[in-house]
Amino acid sequence: MKRSSFTAKKIATLAVFTTLSLITFIIENQFPPMFIPGARMGLANIFSFAALIMYSPIEAFLIVAIRCGLGAVYAGNVSALLYSFTGGVIAMEVSSVLMYTLYPRISVTAVSVTAAVCHNVTQNVVFVLMSGTVNMFVNLPYLVLLGIASGAIVGGVVMLVFKKVPKNVFLKALYKKEK
């Protein structure tokens, strides 16, 4: 696992990633849910996933926590913080474990898909536990399918960015890891 030290450059990069993540969340929140109430593509996860690849789980968790907190405030739905934060933490934990144990035997996209599915299932379980509405488990197959689609998109975008953006923009550790 990479050691985490917070330099000025890293703090600036994390601030930009957090800001882009929050802006993406706010924009995505303006569109109606996909098929199921509250369901979104989760494009804001692109930036926390990129931070996980570039740095470590600590930096990725910071982006998730700040985005979830500020996103709930900006969206005016602080009660949703419980669902988004819990789902985000579980997804980032799954991503961290997979990236540090199985990558490159499994692809970045496979990690992203697995994390997105775990995120959606976690949110559904938290909702059922908090509301006592067991009937909401009927949405699980749809949430898994949505997680597969959104995880593939997020993973694909992250891979595309890392392939197309000049290597000197990112940390050298990432490119040593890919070889």
Side-chain angles (χ1 to χ4, degrees), residues 32-100:
M34 301 177 61
F35 315 112
I36 300 170
R40 309 265 185 245
M41 284 302 293
L43 299 177
N45 295 313
I46 291 168
F47 305 99
S48 52
F49 193 43
L52 173 67
I53 293 170
M54 284 177 63
Y55 299 115
S56 78
I58 294 168
E59 291 83 357
F61 279 113
L62 283 172
I63 292 172
V64 168
I66 294 168
R67 181 194 68 235
C68 288
L70 291 176
V73 171
Y74 283 122
N77 191 359
V78 179
S79 64
L81 177 62
L82 179 64
Y83 310 114
S84 61
F85 182 73
T86 308
V89 166
I90 295 297
M92 196 49 59
E93 184 63 31
V94 168
S95 296
S96 299
V97 168
L98 293 176
M99 286 301 295
Y100 286 95

